[in-house]
Amino acid sequence: MMAHVLNEVRRGFYLDSVALMRMSRAIAGAEGVEEAALMMGTPANHEIMADAGLLDETGRSAAGGDLILGIRATDQATAKAALAEAIALLDAPATRGEGAAYRPKSLRAALGMVPGANLALISVPGDFAAAEARKAIRRGLDAMIFSDNVSLAAEAALKTEARDLGRLVMGPDCGTAIIAGTPLAFANVVPRGPIGMIGASGTGLQEVTCLVAQLGGGVSHAIGVGGRDLKAEVGGISTLMAIDALAADAGTQRIVLIAKPPGDNVAKVVLDRLANAGKPAIVCFMGAAEIPMPANVTQCFSLKDAAYAALDVTAEPPGPPAMQGTDNTQLLGLFAGGTLCAEAQVILRDAELAVRSNAPVTGIGAQDSDGHLMLDLGDDDYTRGRPHPMIDPTVRDEAFTEALGRTDLAAILCDVVIGYGAHDDPAGHLAALVSEHRTGGGPTVIASVCGTDGDPQGRAGQIAKLQAAGILVAPSNADAARWALAAAGAG
């Protein structure tokens, strides 16, 4: 049967990508709708929608500042109905009922409303993000860029200018920050305290802030800098500025830095800056080997160890619970969080297992090699034109359902990330999926929940839903990986 594709273009209409993805998910879930996407008409999005079979002549006419509504359905009537629903969702926020808040449409208008603002959060198509951030820093604001698809050259130029102006740029592709107790983008509700954090990793920063909170500690600031800040082309500009800011902050007593391993030259500059910060510091370069550290800096090799070191506490990792006996030894990781996937790789690698991944850390094989497979399902290969699995957990449903039916797996390892911006009930969705598809004697499912009880979803309630479905829930992502080792007979 031939699918029916229907497009509409809103000229000069902008809505941030997270809101558009939520609408796309709602439309795509309707009966008879094969796929749906609401995307800005940038060249990259044209390509994504064309690859997905969602673009017709109307959509192809859209420019970068236009919004494309694309529907592919089993019949014309369904496509028309879905398009009408998409339009209704789009128009709903514009309805000004009594008490509805005015939302400024430009940085100038926003500053007119809040003249004392000192930070702008930029969430626009990547083609425009650097320009919007530049407007912000030239007006004396720091900038957090949630958008991705900003070129490395543009990032380096923007951060260089920001440094010269004395402004901090967090990002691009900065998904998490907590500034003076205020969570921004994908962040969690944690108490304020003396631990200052810097993260070139979104879920890595979330995991450490949440573990610090679970251990009774608190966070002064958690500054995201974007995953490429420590690349040689950028030189760690924002990381160095964040170190300086936390060193000068009276409310910060210890500094934690979480990042992928930088190049030698950048690592030396960063470590020298930490050495001169005048405060104890903890560094976790995820996947790196042991390297010489300044006297005031402690190197950790997992997110959990970084959180414990930040509070100067030690504890034996909890032993795994009783598991059903199996001769199977294979492990499969299905992660929403990229750094959580990386941490699991490190723990399995250090247990001398052969591991492979679509996002391998040092010492891990490519996805098409042999070994236990750890998948980062938030990687661009899985999310092009689709919401991130933290927003829409159905992104990993197909892989999870297939894994539950495999007879060679000892365990499936996964994460559940909650907090602002995340799905409103990811554990409930996963629990229902496992309950529906798990067969007797199938693989053990081991999860951890990254979040706090203060988050909108509530960590304790999320854990209870997973446990009710027979899923083993470890205290941390690192503990979950160690439990998986035990399930495979390697722990």
Side-chain angles (χ1 to χ4, degrees):
M1 180 182 296
M2 180 177 294
H4 291 259
V5 177
L6 197 57
N7 285 183
E8 178 165 310
V9 174
R10 290 281 183 97
R11 305 290 177 189
F13 186 100
Y14 174 74
L15 204 59
D16 74 78
S17 59
V18 174
L20 293 174
M21 286 178 180
R22 290 184 187 279
M23 292 182 190
S24 300
R25 183 184 67 195
I27 301 301
E31 183 75 23
V33 177
E34 296 179 348
E35 191 60 90
L38 283 69
M39 306 182 81
M40 299 303 296
T42 62
N45 288 344
H46 272 270
E47 183 180 344
I48 290 170
M49 294 186 75
D51 290 346
L54 278 168
L55 209 59
D56 65 11
E57 287 304 317
T58 300
R60 290 188 187 94
S61 71
D66 301 333
L67 175 67
I68 308 173
L69 293 74
I71 309 290
R72 191 180 73 236
T74 53
D75 57 78
Q76 188 174 33
T78 300
K80 286 183 176 179
L83 183 61
E85 177 64 18
I87 292 169
L89 287 173
L90 271 181
D91 290 342
T95 301
R96 300 285 169 79
E98 185 176 352
Y102 166 69
R103 300 179 67 180
K105 298 185 180 302
S106 69
L107 181 63
R108 180 192 298 272
L111 284 173
M113 292 180 63
V114 191
N118 58 9
L119 187 149
L121 197 162
I122 311 294
S123 178
V124 300
D127 292 350
F128 311 113
E132 292 300 317
R134 186 164 279 110
K135 292 177 187 174
I137 62 173
R138 289 176 179 176
R139 287 177 175 272
L141 279 68
D142 297 322
M144 175 177 174
I145 307 176
F146 184 81
S147 317
D148 58 5
N149 294 316
V150 176
S151 73
L152 191 56
E155 177 179 347
L158 175 66
K159 288 184 171 178
T160 299
E161 180 177 347
R163 179 185 58 194
D164 293 343
L165 292 171
R167 308 317 318 172
L168 176 67
V169 172
M170 299 185 283
D173 199 16
C174 180
T176 301
I178 303 172
I179 304 300
T182 300
L184 299 172
F186 294 105
N188 303 89
V189 179
V190 301
R192 294 210 69 186
I195 310 301
M197 300 190 192
I198 304 162
S201 141
T203 50
L205 198 58
Q206 286 188 265
E207 177 78 349
V208 179
T209 56
C210 291
L211 289 174
V212 164
Q214 290 164 30
L215 291 168
V219 175
S220 57
H221 309 278
I223 303 172
V225 294
R228 302 181 306 193
D229 189 68
L230 294 180
K231 284 185 173 292
E233 294 87 341
V234 183
I237 290 174
S238 294
T239 299
L240 297 174
M241 293 182 70
I243 292 172
D244 292 343
L246 293 178
D249 178 41
T252 299
Q253 296 176 8
R254 291 185 180 220
I255 300 171
V256 179
L257 170 61
I258 304 154
K260 295 177 182 175
D264 290 344
N265 291 339
V266 177
K268 182 180 187 308
V269 173
V270 169
L271 293 176
D272 286 348
R273 192 64 64 92
L274 284 171
N276 293 321
K279 298 180 179 179
I282 295 93
V283 166
C284 179
F285 291 145
M286 184 59 66
E290 186 172 359
I291 54 179
M293 289 281 156
N296 65 322
V297 182
T298 301
Q299 185 180 10
C300 293
F301 300 93
S302 74
L303 302 171
K304 178 183 178 182
D305 287 348
Y308 275 68
L311 298 174
D312 199 19
V313 297
T314 58
E316 288 293 321
M323 302 183 199
Q324 62 184 9
T326 177
D327 294 330
N328 299 332
T329 58
Q330 284 297 303
L331 299 175
L332 173 65
L334 299 173
F335 289 91
T339 309
L340 301 177
C341 179
E343 184 182 43
Q345 293 175 49
V346 169
I347 290 170
L348 269 58
R349 178 199 68 188
D350 292 349
E352 300 184 347
L353 297 188
V355 183
R356 57 196 174 102
S357 176
N358 63 322
V361 301
T362 304
I364 299 299
Q367 185 173 348
D368 59 359
S369 60
D370 295 324
H372 305 278
L373 178 59
M374 297 291 115
L375 284 175
D376 172 10
L377 297 177
D379 187 79
D380 290 347
D381 288 343
Y382 292 94
T383 57
R384 282 171 63 88
R386 302 191 65 183
H388 191 281
M390 284 167 54
I391 300 171
D392 180 4
T394 63
V395 170
R396 63 180 173 187
D397 281 4
E398 182 177 351
F400 225 109
T401 301
E402 190 271 337
L404 288 167
R406 284 175 58 178
T407 57
D408 63 325
L409 286 178
I412 304 169
L413 185 58
C414 64
D415 54 355
V416 173
V417 183
I418 60 175
Y420 290 115
H423 187 268
D424 57 8
D425 186 16
H429 179 85
L430 179 60
L433 183 79
V434 171
S435 297
E436 180 180 356
H437 295 284
R438 177 147 62 182
T439 58
T444 299
V445 180
I446 303 172
S448 66
V449 177
C450 175
T452 70
D453 285 335
D455 289 330
Q457 303 89 344
R459 182 170 181 267
Q462 293 285 291
I463 290 174
K465 289 182 180 181
L466 296 173
Q467 291 175 331
I471 297 170
L472 302 181
V473 184
S476 72
N477 183 65
D479 293 326
R482 295 189 179 98
W483 288 9
L485 286 173

